[in-house]
Amino acid sequence: MSKPHILIFPAPAQGHITSMLKLAELLCAAPGFRVTFLVPAYIHRRLSNHSNATSRLRKLPFRLHPIPDNGHQEDIRPGSFDVKDWLDSLRMTAQPSLKELLADEGDPIDCVISDGILSFVLEAAEEAGVPVFYMRTLSACAFWVYFCLPHLIQTQELPFNSNELDLPMVNLRGMEGVLRRSDLPSCCRHGLDSRSMQTIMHQTLQTPRAKGLILNTFDHLEAPTLDLIRTRIPNLYTVGPLHAHLQTRLTAIPNSSSTSLWEEDKTCLKWLDEQPENSVIYVSFGSIVRVTVEERTEFWQGLVNSGKRFLWVVRPDSGGIIPPEIADGGMGRVVGWAPQEAVLAHPAVGGFLTHCGWNSTLESVVAGVPMVCWPHFGDQQVNSRFVDDVWGIGRDMKDCCDRVVVEKMVRDVMEDRGGEFRRRAGDMAKAARESVVEGGTSYSDLDRLIRDIRDLCNAI
Ligand code: UDP
């Protein structure tokens, strides 16, 4: 039997690493498969310190390979952060190691799975004659929007006036009547010259060059959009939710998979044990978003006024210290970084106030926990609209950060319309679990990906 050696290269950010590491683990479990996972040295250090991925994966044919970072250790930051500069600097530092690995005849690479925003990996692999699959770590609906940006420009729906954000989109195939201008990825608000928009559009348009596209989603959740993507990228693998998939496929390995780049504070699980069922709203805005002091005050006031207990993640690097009123709040608990999957699975958690990053959204879907969405940037604007308007499993605050709205939406999700949201979220969670067991769509697609990689390897 062939023994495929796969090189996986994620963009060095928590959300990208999390889902691509989970895919790596699933692939390593396929007989004969080996994975080399490429990360900059500073990410390697943080993963080794804070996640159990390295010890967990030690039992599998997996190698976490650090590439020199030459002092470039920048995490993605919204606002003044320049995604093009970030990708350019990654390309500069990664390229020598990447080329060396691709040329290594002693331990040849049979196939590359590249993050779909790293076209320099695609180019290097093409040059070396190694087949490449792309993986995007966002939702299918957000991917489709990025893919349609040239059409929106051509039909002059982009750029638009920032005081007409409520107008519905008319040229976005499949999403007419669903998305408004305000629901487009945040880069669309900054005009056609925006470097982030040009960069992400360019990266997305390279996708058809890859052998196929892997998405961390499942058919039941995004069927109409997946059908549209298949018209342009026929070889699509929907293998998510990956964290649930991992639990069903790798039952022999303990389930406490952590891919965190920060130290997890597990004491909050004990605190949750003491709270009544469905009584706590979990608050986290992921690994990138920075919340200003004013915004934090509005959230705190809204939460207190809602009368709900809360568990709030305030990252140590999220800009500022924890205000004493939050730290001392009798109804709440604050941590620097939580074991999020376990928190969402805890029976005490009845709602999730989230920025709607795709991993967080999927984790909430799998746990059947309704959401209050406060999208910040990138694909989050699209995801939050789908959570509210299409899937009906939460409320979307969109551009509003106001204590009255926070209170109203938290009450809606946890109390007034709580039964309705929980029922729909429960149905979606069931569909998610069904997709990752034998016979499910994601289970079959992962098998197909494994088969296709093996066939490619045999053909070399
Ligand atoms: N996460 C976590 N603990 C926290 C906050 C976040 O483990 O306290 C994880 C979360 O489970 C998710 C990831 O960090 O898997 C965040 O990814 P997402 O795509 O939601 O957002 P991003 O950080 O990319 O904005």
Side-chain angles (χ1 to χ4, degrees):
M1 198 199 306
S2 59
K3 294 192 168 177
H5 181 193
I6 306 162
L7 181 83
I8 300 188
F9 196 162
Q14 179 74 74
H16 296 245
I17 289 168
T18 293
S19 39
M20 293 187 78
L21 249 181
K22 290 188 190 241
L23 178 71
E25 198 166 346
L26 282 163
L27 290 176
C28 281
F33 276 52
R34 280 183 309 134
V35 169
T36 295
F37 197 87
L38 231 53
V39 286
Y42 73 100
I43 295 281
H44 188 277
R45 273 194 302 279
R46 286 168 69 181
L47 273 175
S48 309
N49 287 342
H50 304 308
S51 84
N52 64 6
T54 35
S55 57
R56 194 177 147 93
L57 288 159
R58 202 169 290 140
K59 302 181 190 96
L60 294 169
F62 175 87
R63 179 166 60 130
L64 188 63
H65 189 91
I67 44 180
D69 53 38
N70 300 345
H72 292 284
Q73 307 194 353
E74 199 189 359
D75 280 337
I76 302 184
R77 288 283 161 247
S80 60
F81 177 82
D82 188 312
V83 71
K84 177 149 190 342
D85 287 350
W86 185 67
L87 290 177
D88 283 349
S89 118
L90 180 66
R91 178 169 51 78
M92 296 280 284
T93 50
Q95 220 152 26
S97 310
L98 179 64
K99 289 197 166 162
E100 208 174 293
L101 282 163
L102 287 168
D104 185 352
E105 288 176 7
D107 190 11
I109 304 285
D110 298 302
C111 152
V112 172
I113 298 181
S114 168
D115 196 311
I117 60 166
L118 304 181
S119 59
F120 69 86
V121 180
L122 179 85
E123 277 148 23
E126 278 176 349
E127 221 176 278
V130 178
V132 186
F133 291 85
Y134 256 4
M135 172 160 177
R136 286 302 288 265
T137 57
L138 38 58
S139 57
C141 45
F143 176 81
W144 181 244
V145 175
Y146 283 126
F147 202 79
C148 292
L149 290 181
H151 181 66
L152 297 180
I153 294 170
Q154 206 181 19
T155 53
Q156 298 185 350
E157 211 170 351
L158 268 182
F160 48 70
N161 208 321
S162 60
N163 54 18
E164 292 176 334
L165 287 176
D166 283 338
L167 289 183
M169 298 302 296
V170 289
N171 294 302
L172 189 46
R173 206 171 137 215
M175 295 182 187
E176 309 91 340
V178 176
L179 292 199
R180 303 154 302 180
R181 291 175 173 181
S182 58
D183 302 314
L184 294 182
S186 54
C187 63
C188 297
R189 298 185 188 191
H190 305 140
L192 297 190
D193 295 335
S194 135
R195 274 161 72 90
S196 55
M197 172 148 131
Q198 289 298 333
T199 304
I200 201 77
M201 187 163 72
H202 168 77
Q203 293 295 337
T204 303
L205 294 178
Q206 307 310 309
T207 314
R209 284 168 64 183
K211 290 262 172 234
L213 173 65
I214 305 163
L215 288 176
N216 184 13
T217 189
F218 58 105
D219 282 31
H220 182 89
L221 185 68
E222 300 198 86
T225 312
L226 291 167
D227 285 345
L228 285 169
I229 296 175
R230 284 188 187 103
T231 63
R232 306 298 295 275
I233 301 161
N235 198 20
L236 186 61
Y237 304 88
T238 52
V239 296
L242 282 165
H243 68 291
H245 212 153
L246 207 50
Q247 285 168 15
T248 54
R249 290 248 188 182
L250 273 74
T251 44
I253 299 176
N255 266 339
S256 55
S257 167
S258 154
T259 51
S260 284
L261 299 178
W262 285 266
E263 185 72 36
E264 289 177 354
D265 183 344
K266 295 202 173 72
T267 60
C268 60
L269 296 173
K270 289 205 175 63
W271 181 79
L272 284 174
D273 287 342
E274 290 152 18
Q275 313 305 320
E277 196 168 319
N278 284 333
S279 68
V280 176
I281 180 139
Y282 171 58
V283 185
S284 164
F285 304 118
S287 64
I288 299 169
V289 170
R290 276 174 188 244
V291 181
T292 64
V293 173
E294 292 76 25
E295 288 164 342
R296 196 173 283 161
T297 307
E298 291 304 306
F299 278 118
W300 180 76
Q301 201 64 60
L303 285 167
V304 168
N305 294 348
S306 77
K308 297 294 164 210
R309 296 156 206 250
F310 58 85
L311 170 62
W312 191 339
V313 176
V314 179
R315 274 192 343 266
D317 65 328
S318 65
I321 46 164
I322 302 169
E325 66 272 22
I326 295 179
D328 300 340
M331 299 288 283
R333 167 106 193 194
V334 177
V335 289
W337 189 253
Q340 183 162 303
E341 279 179 44
V343 165
L344 286 168
H346 198 287
V349 173
F352 183 13
L353 174 48
T354 170
H355 69 311
C356 255
W358 187 236
N359 290 289
S360 296
T361 306
L362 269 185
E363 288 158 16
S364 210
V365 163
V366 169
V369 173
M371 288 165 258
V372 175
C373 311
W374 184 58
H376 213 261
F377 72 102
D379 59 323
Q380 298 155 18
Q381 320 284 346
V382 186
N383 302 339
S384 61
R385 180 64 169 176
F386 272 74
V387 165
D388 185 325
D389 199 60
V390 180
W391 304 321
I393 53 176
R395 300 294 320 273
D396 182 9
M397 290 172 57
K398 212 29 116 279
D399 296 311
C400 175
C401 179
D402 171 289
R403 63 189 68 187
V404 177
V405 176
V406 174
E407 178 188 347
K408 164 90 180 76
M409 293 210 169
V410 169
R411 278 185 194 278
D412 252 10
V413 160
M414 300 283 289
E415 199 175 292
D416 301 341
R417 296 173 58 197
E420 165 200 337
F421 284 121
R422 268 198 295 281
R423 193 179 57 255
R424 280 197 292 263
D427 290 346
M428 199 57 95
K430 186 164 170 277
R433 283 193 299 272
E434 283 169 0
S435 73
V436 293
V437 294
E438 204 165 351
T441 52
S442 296
Y443 194 98
S444 308
D445 256 16
L446 181 64
D447 278 350
R448 183 166 62 87
L449 175 65
I450 290 169
R451 250 193 337 267
D452 289 352
I453 292 176
R454 210 185 283 287
D455 287 350
L456 272 175
C457 176
N458 284 334
I460 291 170

